[in-house]
Amino acid sequence: MWMKAIPGLMAEVASRGDEIVALCRRLIQIPTENPPGDVSTAAAAVAEVLRGWGVELTWNEPAGGRVSLVAAMGPESGRTLILNGHLDVVPAGDPGRWTRPAFSGDVSGGLIWGRGAVDMKGGVAALLGAVRAMSQVDLPGRVILTLVPDEETGGRWGSRWLLQDAGLAGDGCLIAEPSGLDVCTIGQRGALWLRLRASGTPAHGSLSPYVGKNAILSLINALRPVLALAGRRGKCPPELAQILERSKHWMASSVGEPATAALDHVTVNLGILRGGTKVNVVPEEATAEIDIRVPLGCTVAAIRAEVEALQETGVEVEILEASEPNFTLPNTRIARALAAGAKEVLGKSPSFLLQWATSDARHFRAAGIPVVQYGPFGRGIHGYDEAVLADEIVRCAQVYVATALAFLGSRELP
Amino acid sequence: MWMKAIPGLMAEVASRGDEIVALCRRLIQIPTENPPGDVSTAAAAVAEVLRGWGVELTWNEPAGGRVSLVAAMGPESGRTLILNGHLDVVPAGDPGRWTRPAFSGDVSGGLIWGRGAVDMKGGVAALLGAVRAMSQVDLPGRVILTLVPDEETGGRWGSRWLLQDAGLAGDGCLIAEPSGLDVCTIGQRGALWLRLRASGTPAHGSLSPYVGKNAILSLINALRPVLALAGRRGKCPPELAQILERSKHWMASSVGEPATAALDHVTVNLGILRGGTKVNVVPEEATAEIDIRVPLGCTVAAIRAEVEALQETGVEVEILEASEPNFTLPNTRIARALAAGAKEVLGKSPSFLLQWATSDARHFRAAGIPVVQYGPFGRGIHGYDEAVLADEIVRCAQVYVATALAFLGSRELP
């Protein structure tokens, strides 16, 4: 029965295409760089828009400027679908390296330009376009729109807070992370971020190594087994083996062949090392920050245990971030609904692939909620001259509506 | 003939003992921490004192706050003795770790307390006491008092500037560096301070090591051969072999047995390492600062050539400081004059030893001027609760007068 409503809603979304694009431009023009991570001005603008459409919402601000908007629609009796997008963006970097100003929201060549256009104010605009259409009909289940802060710095005060501290729950989740229309990402690697700290015994540098203990050298020694974790291979779950292979092809074409090894091997980045205060003083303290990514088939828990064993050598180990590799199988209802929704709108279903980055999907999956990620793409994500394809925003809004109706409806999905 | 004048001058210095101690206290109470290195307030106070005694001087300030006072006395016809002391002190560090305020100049237990008391405002006060006495008589040669800044950070705008840019010249130099009454230091190791800089190729840290090139890891690789220089043994010149052995005994009792290896082996201190900006970005740049000390019998030139060869591996090598090991033989006139002067005043000559630190002596020796170092000692040099023995200041002032008269006079010295 609900599939019958789809053509009308698709036309409704399409007729609002210019408004959706205008909304995306307006969101880009409100800087929400993280750090520092204050999204309150953007959240206020979105709240005003939603209220203008008659959509009720709650304003959640567990930490200053870390605002999550939550808008629920439809009956609580059926299934619940969470739609999720983040309002924060990575810093724009050097303004001089942008062809157009980083927060211009200029439209040119079918693209909307500016920091966060792809990641993910384009996706947020698409979610809003879908919500507007759905708010005008009686839904067969519940849709909860969640627009969050803090995704670019780990999600503590955004999605994770909603799930762990505010009781957010649902049967499936669709995140508008950029994927392009042909791809839907359903899995990601784990991450373990560490800070190692070594102590030394200060002394006059002119007596080293005969007197004193050099904290930098102790730290470099401690780093050796951590760096050696790189290249350890993950044993991919059999049901994802084909998806892994397809993901490597996709990554080879988008990032380059050498990068594909990161999908099924542990990666290690020694991102920061700092030690010592004066050239002629034996350093008393040194710290390093390391980003370890863990493929499907390895566990962060095991690697964490290995790293924490370093403490026996006197090096302090602080865990900055830890999340296990996580995925949602293609045969879950949310994945099948997305496939059906995209097919309805675009004539074909996207490829299910593994992403090499991480996202808030991990927090939902950790809470037992299956997640698919699908959103408009473009160019320059996390780089300069970021821009999102205007047309893909509108198409995604349509796919979101079709996916929601398929997910919430009673129909058996292929 | 001049030896006859000595007892009168000794009595004159002794009668001014309280004034010399008061001068030391006043100098300590004027902070001259380096960095930042501005000594102008202290220099102005000293200039006023000297002018009050009728001693003419020049005020030299080649860089802001880097003031050298130069006061010459006696005829230009005979020998010239340079008396040298530095007005700058190392930073006081954490004020909470001083029992008395760092710039109190308190007198207690026969000691004058405060940063720089030993290194070397005690020595400067002793030089001033000696100059006052000598200014009242006709000298058999020339004495040039030089009170300088910048010694604690390399001497560029102090002694080195006077010698290289202001034409300072002499036949011998006595520096009031702390030694205690029983020791006179006549040699020091060379120093080579380096900054190494490695470049990388930034990339997303989650793809490392498959994508990008980590500047920190390149730097750590480059450091290996530099660190391996430590322990290389210097072949001590035969005429200094006994002095080296005596110096080791002295160092064992004052600094500890393990430190003595530093006197005849290359030492290497990796003092600072900094690289990277974010945990999840492959670092684009990393730098290290290294303090290498070179014993007598090795050359800085050879080690510098080895280090600069690292540039072939793509690491940038910047030389921050380079000075060869340097010494003054005990049979030079300035050393014999100091021995005779101390014997006259104290009844015995000091031991000639090698120091493990460096000082402005290297600049004088590089200019061909023999140097001895002799000055009042105490406790806490470069540490907390630094304090100088008040009595040694007055005794040193007497030794300086006797040494100057012996050096400038025509008498053959033992």
Side-chain angles (χ1 to χ4, degrees):
Chain A
M1 150 191 154
W2 272 99
M3 297 310 277
K4 289 185 193 154
I6 289 184
L9 284 172
M10 295 303 103
E12 158 73 11
V13 170
S15 74
R16 303 286 187 185
D18 289 350
E19 284 174 47
I20 295 172
V21 167
L23 197 49
C24 175
R25 298 181 61 192
R26 190 168 156 209
L27 286 173
I28 291 170
Q29 287 160 359
I30 303 172
T32 52
E33 290 170 295
N34 187 9
D38 186 331
V39 301
S40 55
T41 306
V46 171
E48 190 194 325
V49 166
L50 284 169
R51 290 195 180 109
W53 296 338
V55 176
E56 282 176 28
L57 57 90
T58 61
W59 176 284
N60 306 273
E61 191 170 353
R66 265 66 177 179
V67 179
S68 288
L69 299 180
V70 178
M73 292 163 287
E76 292 188 44
S77 53
R79 291 191 189 88
T80 295
L81 172 65
I82 299 167
L83 300 177
N84 176 274
H86 62 85
L87 293 170
D88 60 323
V89 302
V90 295
D94 178 1
R97 295 185 60 185
W98 287 81
T99 306
R100 293 172 182 75
F103 301 103
S104 72
D106 283 357
V107 179
S108 168
L111 291 153
I112 313 173
W113 298 79
R115 167 55 79 229
V118 181
D119 187 13
M120 55 182 284
K121 287 175 171 174
V124 169
L127 289 173
L128 290 169
V131 162
R132 177 174 197 173
M134 290 190 284
S135 71
Q136 296 167 8
V137 296
D138 289 326
L139 292 168
R142 196 160 181 80
V143 168
I144 304 178
L145 172 69
T146 55
L147 298 179
V148 299
D150 214 26
E151 194 268 351
E152 297 292 358
T153 52
R156 177 69 195 93
W157 301 111
S159 294
R160 195 176 129 196
W161 181 85
L162 286 175
L163 289 158
Q164 293 185 358
D165 300 296
L168 177 65
D171 303 300
C173 175
L174 191 167
I175 303 183
E177 280 285 342
S179 61
L181 300 181
D182 297 334
V183 168
C184 169
T185 57
I186 56 155
Q188 62 185 224
R189 297 182 289 159
L192 181 64
W193 289 12
L194 310 170
R195 183 178 292 131
L196 301 188
R197 190 189 314 270
S199 297
T201 309
H204 199 282
S206 78
L207 302 178
S208 171
Y210 300 111
V211 178
K213 180 165 169 261
N214 191 314
I216 299 176
L217 296 182
S218 299
L219 184 63
I220 289 174
N221 275 334
L223 283 170
R224 212 161 289 153
V226 179
L227 295 168
L229 293 168
R232 192 176 293 188
R233 195 185 187 106
K235 195 174 171 337
C236 183
E239 62 270 38
L240 291 174
Q242 276 194 4
I243 288 178
L244 172 64
E245 283 315 303
R246 279 207 303 271
S247 302
K248 287 189 160 201
H249 286 293
W250 176 55
M251 197 168 176
S253 62
S254 59
V255 188
E257 177 61 33
T260 62
L263 277 179
D264 55 354
H265 294 80
V266 172
T267 61
V268 179
N269 183 53
L270 170 57
I272 294 176
L273 199 159
R274 306 226 180 292
T277 54
K278 281 186 73 180
V279 63
N280 61 343
V281 175
V282 176
E284 190 170 6
E285 194 181 279
T287 59
E289 290 184 20
I290 302 137
D291 175 354
I292 303 174
R293 303 296 172 108
V294 177
L296 294 171
C298 293
T299 70
V300 163
I303 286 180
R304 178 175 175 158
E306 285 186 55
V307 168
E308 288 182 334
L310 284 175
Q311 290 178 135
E312 288 162 26
T313 69
V315 170
E316 212 177 296
V317 179
E318 184 185 351
I319 306 295
L320 302 175
E321 192 76 45
S323 64
E324 290 291 352
N326 57 86
F327 59 92
T328 294
L329 285 174
N331 64 0
T332 50
R333 186 168 182 90
I334 183 62
R336 285 182 291 140
L338 189 281
K343 187 159 195 182
E344 178 75 27
V345 174
L346 305 168
K348 70 166 189 168
S349 298
S351 292
F352 290 115
L353 297 178
L354 304 174
Q355 62 179 137
W356 55 271
T358 56
S359 72
D360 274 357
R362 66 188 187 276
H363 301 304
F364 290 94
R365 294 192 186 118
I369 303 172
V371 183
V372 292
Q373 298 190 134
Y374 186 83
F377 208 70
R379 47 154 295 161
I381 181 169
H382 286 212
Y384 295 103
D385 289 340
E386 183 177 354
V388 64
L389 285 157
D391 184 55
E392 288 204 358
I393 300 177
V394 183
R395 301 303 268 167
C396 281
Q398 293 177 314
V399 172
Y400 296 161
V401 172
T403 299
L405 297 181
F407 182 79
L408 299 176
S410 55
R411 186 166 64 100
E412 198 51 42
L413 296 172
Chain B
M1 154 192 156
W2 273 99
M3 297 309 278
K4 289 183 193 154
I6 290 183
L9 284 172
M10 294 304 101
E12 157 73 12
V13 170
S15 73
R16 303 285 187 186
D18 289 350
E19 284 174 48
I20 295 172
V21 167
L23 197 49
C24 175
R25 298 181 61 192
R26 190 168 157 210
L27 286 173
I28 291 170
Q29 287 160 0
I30 304 172
T32 52
E33 290 170 295
N34 186 10
D38 185 332
V39 301
S40 55
T41 306
V46 170
E48 190 194 325
V49 166
L50 284 169
R51 289 194 182 109
W53 296 339
V55 176
E56 283 176 28
L57 57 90
T58 62
W59 176 284
N60 305 274
E61 192 170 353
R66 265 65 177 180
V67 179
S68 288
L69 299 180
V70 178
M73 293 163 286
E76 291 187 46
S77 52
R79 293 192 188 88
T80 296
L81 172 66
I82 299 168
L83 299 177
N84 176 273
H86 63 86
L87 293 170
D88 60 324
V89 302
V90 295
D94 178 1
R97 295 185 61 185
W98 287 81
T99 306
R100 293 172 182 77
F103 301 104
S104 72
D106 283 356
V107 179
S108 167
L111 291 154
I112 312 173
W113 297 79
R115 167 56 79 230
V118 181
D119 187 13
M120 56 182 282
K121 287 175 172 174
V124 170
L127 289 172
L128 290 169
V131 162
R132 178 174 196 173
M134 290 190 284
S135 72
Q136 297 167 7
V137 296
D138 289 327
L139 292 168
R142 197 161 180 80
V143 169
I144 304 178
L145 172 69
T146 56
L147 298 179
V148 300
D150 214 26
E151 194 269 351
E152 297 292 359
T153 52
R156 176 68 194 93
W157 300 111
S159 294
R160 195 177 129 197
W161 181 85
L162 286 175
L163 289 158
Q164 293 184 359
D165 299 296
L168 178 65
D171 303 299
C173 174
L174 191 168
I175 303 183
E177 280 285 342
S179 61
L181 300 181
D182 297 334
V183 167
C184 169
T185 57
I186 56 155
Q188 62 185 225
R189 297 182 290 160
L192 181 64
W193 288 13
L194 310 170
R195 184 178 291 131
L196 301 188
R197 190 188 314 270
S199 297
T201 308
H204 199 282
S206 78
L207 302 178
S208 171
Y210 301 110
V211 178
K213 180 166 170 260
N214 190 314
I216 299 176
L217 296 182
S218 299
L219 184 63
I220 289 174
N221 275 334
L223 283 171
R224 213 160 288 153
V226 179
L227 295 169
L229 293 168
R232 192 175 293 188
R233 196 185 186 106
K235 195 175 172 336
C236 182
E239 62 271 37
L240 290 174
Q242 276 195 3
I243 287 178
L244 172 64
E245 283 315 303
R246 277 207 304 270
S247 302
K248 287 189 158 199
H249 285 293
W250 176 55
M251 197 169 177
S253 62
S254 59
V255 188
E257 177 61 34
T260 62
L263 277 179
D264 54 354
H265 295 79
V266 172
T267 62
V268 179
N269 183 52
L270 170 57
I272 295 176
L273 199 158
R274 305 226 181 292
T277 53
K278 282 186 73 178
V279 63
N280 61 343
V281 174
V282 177
E284 190 170 5
E285 194 180 281
T287 58
E289 290 184 19
I290 302 137
D291 175 355
I292 303 174
R293 303 295 172 108
V294 177
L296 294 171
C298 292
T299 70
V300 162
I303 286 179
R304 178 175 175 159
E306 285 185 55
V307 168
E308 287 182 334
L310 284 175
Q311 290 178 136
E312 288 162 26
T313 69
V315 170
E316 212 177 295
V317 178
E318 184 185 351
I319 306 295
L320 303 175
E321 192 75 45
S323 64
E324 291 291 351
N326 57 86
F327 59 92
T328 294
L329 286 174
N331 64 1
T332 50
R333 186 168 182 90
I334 182 62
R336 285 182 291 142
L338 190 281
K343 187 158 194 184
E344 178 75 28
V345 174
L346 305 168
K348 71 167 187 168
S349 297
S351 291
F352 289 115
L353 297 178
L354 304 174
Q355 62 179 137
W356 54 272
T358 56
S359 72
D360 275 356
R362 66 187 185 278
H363 302 304
F364 289 94
R365 293 192 186 117
I369 302 172
V371 183
V372 292
Q373 298 190 135
Y374 186 83
F377 208 70
R379 47 155 294 160
I381 182 169
H382 286 214
Y384 295 104
D385 289 341
E386 183 177 354
V388 64
L389 286 158
D391 184 55
E392 288 203 358
I393 300 177
V394 183
R395 300 305 266 168
C396 280
Q398 293 177 314
V399 172
Y400 296 161
V401 171
T403 299
L405 297 182
F407 181 79
L408 298 176
S410 55
R411 188 166 64 100
E412 199 50 43
L413 296 173

